[in-house]
């Protein structure tokens, strides 16, 4: 996918089921094509037929109860996606459980998203962004969803077709970035990452989103980077709850290893690549004193040897190998601005986004 071809789906209805139906109808073909690639990748990743693997995933976990308790409107949206795309509702539901599938199936990779946030200070406004690094079978399914809440507030959400969202920002001035922390403990009755992200994005402010993140049970280890005009926060979330990562010199940088949480899996191993990428972010944004969205864009496009933030797709790359399927940057001050790439930020142009 290239940035120029990245579709924007305008979901005009504020009602969850209808909103999901609009998403499913608009992206019906890429959703169906992605499901075929996903099922092939599942067999390769886990050595099990997709039908039996996903049957076990849904039967042996209790995510639905947490979803119905904390974000019931998002389950309605998932059912709408299934209706619009003409796919089985259980397939649409399983599609939302990306991070949960990884720990349930013990995926070989440990994640590769990299994120950064710069707190507002003086005349400098909040700036934040991340790469979204996923298995290459997601490539071609990238999309932006333009959503409206019941109060009319719009949001722009980057997604892989058929999912309720991966990362996004709202017209009220709240931005959210995420990165996997596979070394932290999971829980089979927690709230899955996609629902946590969208639930937090629906809040009025970063402080409200932080309160939501602290208050819900977490199915998967994940860092949530949240910011608005006044604050930036990072919370490392896991089975044991949420631990806040303190900003250093007005910056929060994160990759895929925990910085403060001690809720480690017994088989957790430190990722040298994650540490190297964190050092790369520090070099771009701390050592160089970068504080602007342009600095963040440059940091996300970095490809230092052994520490590449932007992962480009190679011609010989298999469908299960990781690549940057996109990146986002938000600037949140008196004005709210965003930029997106539909692939690796080192290999394509940024597109500016607006709520108009």
């Amino acid at each position: 996918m290239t940035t120029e071809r990245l579709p924007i789906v305008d979901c005009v209805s504020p009602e969850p089921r209808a909103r999901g139906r609009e998403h499913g109808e608009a992206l019906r073909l890429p959703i169906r094509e992605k499901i075929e690639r996903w099922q092939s990748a599942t067999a390769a990743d886990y050595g099990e037929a997709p039908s039996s693997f996903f049957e076990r995933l849904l039967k042996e976990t209790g995510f639905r109860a947490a979803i119905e308790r904390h974000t019931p409107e998002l389950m309605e949206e998932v059912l709408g996606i299934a209706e619009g795309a003409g796919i089985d509702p259980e397939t649409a539901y399983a599609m939302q459980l990306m991070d949960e599938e990884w720990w349930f199936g013990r995926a070989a990779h440990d994640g590769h998203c990299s994120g950064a946030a710069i707190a507002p200070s003086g005349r400098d406004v909040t700036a934040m962004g991340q790469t979204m690094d996923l298995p290459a079978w997601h490539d071609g399914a990238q999309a932006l969803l333009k959503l409206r809440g019941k109060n009319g507030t719009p949001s722009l959400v980057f997604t892989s077709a058929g999912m309720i969202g991966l990362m996004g920002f709202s017209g009220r001035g709240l931005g959210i970035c995420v990165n996997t922390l596979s070394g932290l403990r999971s829980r089979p009755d927690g709230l899955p990452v996609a629902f946590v992200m969208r639930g937090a994005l629906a809040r009025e402010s970063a402080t409200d989103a932080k309160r939501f993140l602290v208050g819900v049970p977490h199915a998967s280890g994940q860092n949530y980077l949240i910011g608005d005009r006044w604050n930036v926060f990072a919370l490392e979330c896991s089975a044991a709850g949420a631990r806040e990562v303190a900003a250093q010199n007005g910056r929060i940088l994160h990759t895929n290893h925990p910085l403060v949480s001690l809720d480690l899996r017994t088989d957790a191993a430190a990722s040298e690549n994650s540490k190297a990428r964190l050092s790369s972010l520090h070099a771009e944004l701390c050592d160089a004193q970068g504080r602007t969205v342009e600095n963040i864009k440059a940091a996300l496009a970095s490809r230092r040897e052994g520490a590449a933030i932007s992962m480009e797709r190679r011609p010989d790359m298999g469908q299960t190998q990781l690549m940057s399927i996109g990146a986002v940057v938000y600037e949140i001050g008196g004005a709210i601005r965003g930029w997106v790439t539909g692939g690796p930020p080192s290999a394509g142009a940024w597109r500016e986004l607006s709520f108009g």
Side-chain angles (χ1 to χ4, degrees), residues 36-92:
E36 292 181 5
R37 298 192 300 270
W38 174 38
Q39 291 179 339
S40 296
T42 298
D45 274 338
Y46 309 122
E48 183 177 352
S51 57
S52 63
F53 177 83
F54 289 111
E55 181 179 6
R56 288 196 306 109
L57 173 64
L58 300 188
K59 280 186 175 180
E60 296 175 21
T61 57
F63 305 135
R64 293 181 201 264
I67 295 168
E68 291 297 341
R69 179 179 179 185
H70 298 285
T71 56
E73 72 286 354
L74 295 178
M75 186 58 87
E76 281 293 304
E77 189 170 324
V78 172
L79 294 175
I81 292 170
E83 292 169 355
I87 61 174
D88 179 66
E90 292 294 89
T91 299

Side-chain angles (χ1 to χ4, degrees), residues 7 35 52 76 96 199 219 229 273 317 336 343:
I35 289 172
S52 63
E76 281 293 304
Q96 313 308 316
R229 293 178 178 88
N273 179 265
M317 180 178 283
I336 304 163

Side-chain angles (χ1 to χ4, degrees), residues 253 277-290 299 304:
L253 312 177
R277 283 183 284 117
L278 186 61
S279 294
S280 178
L281 291 177
H282 273 279
E284 293 281 349
L285 297 171
C286 295
D287 299 347
Q289 295 297 304
R304 287 180 169 82

Side-chain angles (χ1 to χ4, degrees), residues 117-121 124-127 230-232 247 250-252 291:
I118 300 171
S121 175
D124 294 325
V125 300
T126 298
W230 304 279
N231 298 291
V232 295
R251 297 165 177 81
I252 304 176
R291 291 197 59 86

